[in-house]
Amino acid sequence: MKKTDRELGMLRQISRRDFVHGVSLGALGLMLPLGCSSGPGDSAAPTSSTGYPPTRTGIRGSHAGSFETAHALAREGVRFDNPVDLDEEYDLIVVGAGISGLTAAYEYRKKFGSGSRILILDNHDDFGGHAKRNEFHQGGDMRLSWGGTMNLEYLSFTDTVLNFLAELGIDVHQLSNELDFHYGGDGPAIWFDADTFGSDVLVPGFSMYSRNLDVLDRIDQFPISEPSKAALKQFYASDANVVDGLSEDEIEDLLRRTSYTDFLSQFAGLPDEVVELFIKSTDGYWGVQPHSLSTAEGMNAWLPGSHLLGGAADRAAGLEESEEVAMFPDGNASIARLLVQSLIPRVAPSANAENVASARFDYDQLDRAENLARLRLDSTAVHVANDAGGVTVTYVKDGVNARVSGRHCVLACYHAIIPHLCPELPSRQKEAARYQVKHPMLVTNVLLRSGEAFEKLGITGAYCPGRMHAKIWLIKGVNTAGYQGGTDLQGPVPVMFWGMIEPPQRDVPIHEQLRQSRQVMLGLTFEDYEREVRTVLDGMLGPVGFSAANDILAITVNRWPHGYAYGYLDLWDPEWEAGQAPHEIARQPFGNIVIANSDAAASAYTQSAIEEAIRAIGELS
Ligand SMILES: Cc1cc2nc3c(=O)[nH]c(=O)nc-3n(C[C@H](O)[C@H](O)[C@H](O)COP(=O)(O)OP(=O)(O)OC[C@H]3O[C@@H](n4cnc5c(N)ncnc54)[C@H](O)[C@@H]3O)c2cc1C
C-alpha cells in the first residue's frame, strides 16, 4: 500500500531546504554531534561570516536566487539600465566561475603576469559551476559527495590538459590507483517500483548493461509478462549476427541512423514492454533517452546489443574501450578549489592537491579589495560590451546593478545567455550561440544513517527503470586527496541519485525535449524531490529494516537545468563543415571579449572546459 508523507518521514527535521542559510557558522559548529572529528587536514565545518556553501542542503545547483536575474534578462527582456559605476578597474573580468572561468583566470596570470587584477563573477552562491561540492556534517564525521561533475576521464586527456592538472599538483594516475568506487558495478541490482510495475521488486546481482549469461534466470523475478521475460533472456543469450551481409558502410549507417530503441525492437526483436525497461538507462550518462540516441551512441554508453553485430560494433561504432577514471571525493570541485586557492591563496593557505578534499576554505577571503584576484558570488552578469579602453561589465548582486571595467573579458558562462549579455555580437554568432541548449541533469545526494541495508541486500547500487533518478549508488571508496569516508557501512554514508527529468513529449525535436525537461525540473519543489527519494529508499530498502522516516539525515538536490553542454547527436544534427559548426562560430573573439566554457567545444567534459579556457586566453593580446 502507498505510504503517507508522514510514514515516509516527510515531516521530519532533517537537513534540507536552506537549513544552513543565514545560520551563523558558529551555530553550525554547535549542530555537529559530539565526537565529530576533524579527520586529516582541517575537515571540521569551517566558520565564516558569509557562510560555507558546500554544507548547504535543500535545492542546490540552480538554487533559488541564482537564476532569476538571468531569466528576467533572457526570457522577459528586462533591461538593467543605469548601473552604479564601481570604482574598480581590472585587467580581466571573467563571467562564470566554473572550471573554465577559473582556468581562464589562472592562464591569464601566466600570460599577462602574476600582478594582473582579475574579477570573477558567478551567479551562484558557490564557485565551481557544475563542479559542486556537497559536504555533510550530520550524524558523524564529514562525508563528501559531488553535486555535478565527477569523473576525470584521463585516458582521453591531451597533454595540454595533463600538464595543466600537473601544474596544480594533480596526479591523475595516483588518484585513479587510489580509487575503489565502481558506480554500483560491484553490487548491481535492478529495482522495479510499485507505482510503475505494480509491486516493489528488487533483483540483486542483475545489471541491464552487462551480458552476464550466468544470471539470466534472475529475469524470472522481473514483474513483466512471461513472453517479455523470454524475449529479454533470448536477447542477452543470442549470438545471432543481425547485420550479416551488410557492408561496413551500411553497418555504420545503420548504427548512426537507427535509434537505440528502434534497434532493440527492429533488429533484436524485443517487445515494447522490454524496450521500455531501457528507456532510462542513459539518463545520467547522456541526459538524453535512448529513443533520441543512435544505436552507436547507446552502445557507447555500455548498453547491450553489440554482441549482435558480429564484431562490427567495435569498428563501426568506435565503442569506448575503457571506463577508467580518476576522482576526487567531491568530484571535480577539488579542481575548482585548487584553482581558487592558486588565485587567492589566503582562502586556504595550506591546501594542496594532497589534502584539498579535506582542506578548510574561508569564503570571507574570496572578494577582498586587497586581493589581486577577486571572486564575487551571487553576481549575475547582464551586459558585457567593448569600449574604447577595453570592456565594461554590468552585473546584478543583491538587487543592485553595478558596472565594472577592465581590459579584457572572458565569457565562461553558458552560451545560450551570451546573445542577451552581448547584444552587439554579430547576428550569425548570436544565432550560433543559441544552438547550445544544455541537457538538464539531476544529482541528489541523500545522507543515510548507515549503509547497513545495502550491506544486507548485498548491493552497492541499483538501476530504477521506473523512477525520476534512474540510478542510485552508495558513495564509498573515493578516499583521495586527504579524505577518508569511512571504511565500513556502519556509519553515515551518502547515496547518490542520478538522473534527469523525462520530457513530457518524446516525439519532438531534441532541443524541445531538453527545454521541456528543464521546465518540469524548475517547476518541482524540494518536497517533490524529497518524496521521490524517500519513496525509492523505502520501497527498495524497507524490507531489510530501513526506515525512510528515521534513517535519512540530509537531502541535497543538485538540479542542473543547464547541465551537460550540447554535443552533436547522430539523429539530430548535420555533419557540419570544418569551422561551420555552431560552437565554432559562437566562440569567435569579439574585440576584447573572448569566449570559453565547455559549450565552446560542444563537449560536456572537464577537459573541454579547460582546453576552451586556454584557447580563449591564447586569443587575447
Ligand atoms: C550533473 C553533471 C555531471 C557531470 N559529470 C561530468 C563528469 O563526470 N566528467 C566530466 O568531465 N564532465 C562532467 N560534466 C560536464 C561539466 O559540465 C564539465 O565537466 C565542466 O564542469 C563544465 O565547466 P564550465 O566552466 O564549462 O561550465 P559550468 O560549470 O557550467 O560553469 C559556468 C558558470 O557560469 C555561470 N554563469 C552563467 N551565466 C552567468 C552570468 N550571466 N553571470 C555570472 N555567471 C554566469 C554558471 O552559473 C556557472 O556557474 C557534468 C555536468 C553535469 C551537469
Side-chain angles (χ1 to χ4, degrees), residues 203 206 212-222 233:
V203 184
F206 190 88
N212 182 352
L213 304 186
D214 293 340
V215 295
L216 286 190
D217 58 346
R218 299 192 190 185
I219 292 173
D220 290 331
Q221 300 170 45
F222 287 18
K233 282 188 194 172

Side-chain angles (χ1 to χ4, degrees), residues 70 95-101 121-124 126 128-131 147-153 183 332 379-382 412-414 417 421 438-439 441-443 498 560 562-565 596-599 603-607 609:
V95 178
I99 299 261
S100 203
L121 301 169
D122 199 280
N123 57 318
H124 290 106
D126 201 353
H130 296 153
T149 171
M150 58 205 102
N151 290 331
L152 290 170
E153 297 186 24
Y183 289 100
N332 295 332
S379 302
T380 305
V382 289
C413 51
Y414 319 141
I417 192 83
L421 295 184
K438 282 177 177 281
H439 302 199
M441 308 288 303
L442 200 54
V443 176
W498 203 35
W560 299 108
H562 303 274
Y564 288 165
N597 193 282
S598 52
D599 285 358
S603 160
Y605 287 103
T606 296
Q607 59 268 36

